[in-house]
Amino acid sequence: MDQDGMDPKDWQAFRRQAHRMLEASLDQLEQVRDRPWKPVPESVQQGYAIRGEGGDVVDRITRDVLPYHGGNIHPRFWGWVQGSGLASDLIAGMAGAAINANVGGRDHGAVYMERAVVDWTRTKMGMPEQAGGVLTAGTSQATVIAFQAARVRAMAEVRKTGQQGTRLTAYAGQGVHNATRKAMELLGIGADNLRLVPLMDGQMDGGALARMVAEDRAAGAVPFLMVGTAGSVDLGLFDDLNMLADLASEQNLWLHVDGAFGAWTRIAEDPWYSLTDGLGRADSIALDFHKWMYVGYDCAIALIRNVADQRAAFAARPAYLEGADRGLAGGDPWYCDYGIDLSRGNRAIKVWTALEMHGEAAFAAAITDNCRMAAYMADRVTAAPQMAMGAQVVSNVCVFTARADLEAAAQSALNADIAQTLQETGEAVFSTTRVDGVVMLRAAITNHRTRAADVEAALAAVADLAAR
Amino acid sequence: MDQDGMDPKDWQAFRRQAHRMLEASLDQLEQVRDRPWKPVPESVQQGYAIRGEGGDVVDRITRDVLPYHGGNIHPRFWGWVQGSGLASDLIAGMAGAAINANVGGRDHGAVYMERAVVDWTRTKMGMPEQAGGVLTAGTSQATVIAFQAARVRAMAEVRKTGQQGTRLTAYAGQGVHNATRKAMELLGIGADNLRLVPLMDGQMDGGALARMVAEDRAAGAVPFLMVGTAGSVDLGLFDDLNMLADLASEQNLWLHVDGAFGAWTRIAEDPWYSLTDGLGRADSIALDFHKWMYVGYDCAIALIRNVADQRAAFAARPAYLEGADRGLAGGDPWYCDYGIDLSRGNRAIKVWTALEMHGEAAFAAAITDNCRMAAYMADRVTAAPQMAMGAQVVSNVCVFTARADLEAAAQSALNADIAQTLQETGEAVFSTTRVDGVVMLRAAITNHRTRAADVEAALAAVADLAAR
């Protein structure tokens, strides 16, 4: 190898390349309104094949990568629940690449920054000071971490002995996000041991839950976990978290809350703020930054009420990871003791830069505004002659059908076709879900770029297609 | 909210900020040799606390974040096994922030790019075309995914029923990385059901393994998994992967290979290339890009020989994730069906940009050179009057003691002190490990910036401290 390993031979040339990449990235952000999702041409798909020849990649990325984003950065994207990204991600992306931190442990800046992000989030969610937390890729990962902590609290020896012999059972409302089922599968507890509790007025029915727990106990199972939902994926509904916390305490169950996006109503104005009353009483909360805090993918957090439970579930230090009282091997916590990963990227810098650059008030205003936009969309749907709401808007999710006058099957076909067509024309991105078996259009507004005019334009496009 | 949501009100001002951040990031990379690890002053630690007031963060990041990296970007950093990062990460970081891709699924560029990265890696590792793969945070995550696929192959109903009733057992060589134990714990199989097989000449003893499997079967357990190591964390040793593949086939076990860093000898020159002969016969491989491919944290991959096994372990699509034949909800694979995460960041762009900008040949040369540097370090240690090697160098890991003439306890204290002191002075970063109970200095060279002069300077500094 020559002098500088794989570093650029000509730094001036590389600096020019990098500034060109930055300009192209800035152009993309500034012109995002004119750059909706569009299908990736087959030639571009195949062009991604790795050649491995080396060279200036900036033109290729500008031409073949930037235009083919997933659409979520566009002001009229409301599909699934996806965040829209922030200008601060660009700053964090550069600084993050320059420090290349492995935040699994040891004593360096990124560890302290993650601690600051965990602390801030813990406070906003109303959790006590002894709570622990670790940043994760998403709520799915955070759910796995929380459930393992819950299991270890219920079965102190399970890390050694494994699951066999004890049938644990967990409880969640019908419509709970699939992350809960996948975590039950992964942990070897089994999806059959997740009990789906009926909803009453869109919330888990506490009476039914208590009866199911009693039945399972009578049948020899060990109920250990209750999963509350703060923002259901289909309809944006919220469980009564205070009621669940009372029940969890009575029944000696771990209360986990899936707050993937909905937990962020904690920084919104009322009436949305009150949706998450009681959240801080949970034993664990899983939530994303990349959805309703708009931060770049991926970025989430697992918060655990008692950090001792988190360490009990994950801490382990073989000889090659021994800590030290000084030097680079010092410091505490080592985040590898708080979750699955030993090597961990620097997600905290995205959240930190977002809050410090945009300010907390801007997030509070944007989240509140997204709820208002969902309500506005519902108003316009209700006022439109043939459209109808599929469910009441509670937070930021609006589900509706384009033609309530058609039969179920025809509605399903039409709504599915409208979703696809609007995606392809770039006019708007709705996803679909089923309400009583009917495919409906669904907007989950976690997008700080959405304005009232966007809602109007999208609904006009829906009406146009529905009239054909 | 006003016109542009949270986007900059003054784009020209933001462009200037961003270019300043880029210049500072470029300075950091270009001057990395003069910027070793240093402790984070308490005022800086506390200064990370989130204020949330908004403003220009570039100066603050330049002053309080860039200098306090984890050391791994420096040419004389060889602690643990950490990659050093690449200039291409800066390009990928900007483009990645501009597209903000969620690579959990759907039809957009980042999905095709990840497919290209999986394909390239699969080919290099010698796996067949029907292999599947998914990028993960690290080998720890990839191990969890691989083990779950192995378990589902052994117990088809386990996702529904959970682990109870069947005691699965797994086998790995003594010294196997803790990621294997943690995955056994997380999956509810239990660390007690991980059997540690004695080593013979640094490799798992096949005869002993076969005997242990037979004993476990006789005792009613269900052996399901064998874990080979390609590059052990302590000493950089390699199992005989062809022998293990034969055994796995005879015994009907799933062969997983932990190739976190060592798998990359597949693109090195001989004799290092041959260390991983047989790797492509594994049922699964877990390996990092952020270690010996130098790519920014975090970035790894789980490769599964038969993609059907991977889907069987993870695929699940509730109503709100239904695919479509066209539009944004089209495309296949959806990577959420290949692992734990539903929301997934865009790791592929880091690998893709690295290979396309630096070229594959540069990686091959750097990896080969790192092995040569470890051998060179061993030569210098052996030639030094009081130092002694703790073990033979096989790949890129060199473990030694500064004073072989001292008693064990004094050696341990001295080596630990030297490691800490050199970290604090910024002269070099070794980590430590134990060989026969003695704490020794350990260099794992996964650093494309390391030159012979760095090895010489670091050993001179060790000798200096040892002589005091």
Side-chain angles (χ1 to χ4, degrees), chain A residues 401-419:
Chain A
T401 180
R403 288 278 303 270
D405 55 314
L406 301 180
E407 304 226 340
Q411 279 190 53
S412 289
L414 177 68
N415 288 327
D417 186 67
I418 289 173

Side-chain angles (χ1 to χ4, degrees), chain A residues 275-287:
Chain A
L275 290 169
T276 36
D277 281 353
L279 178 61
R281 296 174 63 194
D283 293 296
S284 56
I285 313 174
L287 61 150

Side-chain angles (χ1 to χ4, degrees), chain A residues 1 3 5-7 11 14-15 18-19 22-23 25-27 30 37 45 48 51-52 54-55 60 65 68 70 72 77 80 82 84-85 87 89 94 97 100-101 106-107 109 112-113 116 140-141 148 151 159-160 162-164 167 177-178 182 185-193 233 290-291 296-298 314 316 320 322 324 326-328 336 339-343 345 352 355-360 363 365-366 369 417 420 423-424 434 448-449 451, chain B residues 1 3 5-7 11 14-15 18-19 22-23 25-27 30 37 40 45 48 51-52 54-55 60 65 68 70 72 77 80 82 84-85 87 89 94 97 100-101 106-107 109 112-113 116 140-141 148 151 159-160 162-164 167 177-178 182 185-193 233 290-291 296-298 314 316 320 322 324 326-328 336 339-343 345 352 355-360 363 365 369 417 420 423-424 434 448-449 451:
Chain A
M1 298 294 291
Q3 190 60 34
M6 293 180 63
D7 283 331
W11 275 101
F14 178 66
R15 280 176 185 261
H19 281 285
L22 178 55
E23 280 295 306
S25 303
L26 285 160
D27 289 347
E30 189 173 356
W37 178 82
Q45 294 174 20
Y48 291 140
R51 301 173 205 163
R60 200 167 152 207
V65 177
Y68 302 107
N72 50 311
F77 182 102
W80 303 279
Q82 298 203 28
S84 39
D89 295 331
M94 290 185 274
N100 189 28
R106 290 164 285 272
D107 196 13
Y112 294 98
M113 190 176 272
S140 297
Q141 289 279 340
Q148 176 69 343
R151 174 165 67 174
R159 289 177 67 178
K160 286 165 59 64
Q163 185 58 45
Q164 56 257 17
R167 190 160 65 85
H177 191 277
N178 209 42
K182 284 190 84 164
E185 294 174 357
L186 186 75
L187 267 56
I189 304 173
D192 284 352
N193 292 315
V233 61
H290 57 222
K291 289 190 171 90
Y297 282 92
D298 44 31
F314 291 102
Y320 52 84
E322 264 178 33
R326 61 190 180 88
L328 182 48
C336 60
I340 302 168
D341 300 322
L342 176 52
S343 296
W352 188 90
L355 282 163
E356 295 303 78
M357 178 175 141
H358 297 289
E360 186 182 326
F363 288 95
D369 193 63
D417 186 67
Q420 291 175 5
Q423 289 166 13
E424 287 170 350
R434 286 170 193 270
H448 62 84
R449 296 189 176 106
R451 306 272 66 82
Chain B
M1 299 290 291
Q3 189 60 33
M6 295 180 63
D7 283 330
W11 276 100
F14 179 65
R15 280 176 185 261
H19 280 284
L22 178 56
E23 280 296 305
S25 302
L26 286 160
D27 289 348
E30 189 173 356
W37 178 82
V40 191
Q45 293 174 21
Y48 291 141
R51 300 172 205 164
R60 199 167 153 207
V65 177
Y68 303 106
N72 51 310
F77 182 101
W80 304 278
Q82 298 202 29
S84 39
D89 296 331
M94 290 185 274
N100 189 29
R106 289 163 287 270
D107 196 13
Y112 294 98
M113 188 175 273
S140 296
Q141 289 279 342
Q148 175 70 344
R151 172 163 70 173
R159 288 177 67 177
K160 286 165 59 65
Q163 184 60 42
Q164 56 259 18
R167 190 160 65 85
H177 191 278
N178 210 41
K182 283 191 83 164
E185 294 174 357
L186 185 75
L187 267 56
I189 305 173
D192 284 351
N193 292 315
V233 60
H290 56 223
K291 291 191 170 89
Y297 282 93
D298 46 32
F314 291 102
Y320 52 84
E322 265 178 30
R326 61 191 180 88
L328 181 51
C336 61
I340 302 169
D341 300 321
L342 175 53
S343 294
W352 188 91
L355 283 163
E356 296 302 79
M357 178 174 141
H358 297 288
E360 186 182 327
F363 288 95
D369 193 64
D417 186 66
Q420 290 175 5
Q423 289 165 12
E424 285 170 350
R434 287 170 193 271
H448 62 84
R449 298 189 174 106
R451 306 272 66 84

Side-chain angles (χ1 to χ4, degrees), chain A residues 408-438:
Chain A
Q411 279 190 53
S412 289
L414 177 68
N415 288 327
D417 186 67
I418 289 173
Q420 291 175 5
T421 302
L422 292 180
Q423 289 166 13
E424 287 170 350
T425 60
E427 286 171 283
V429 175
F430 295 95
S431 57
T432 60
T433 195
R434 286 170 193 270
V435 178
D436 298 330
V438 179

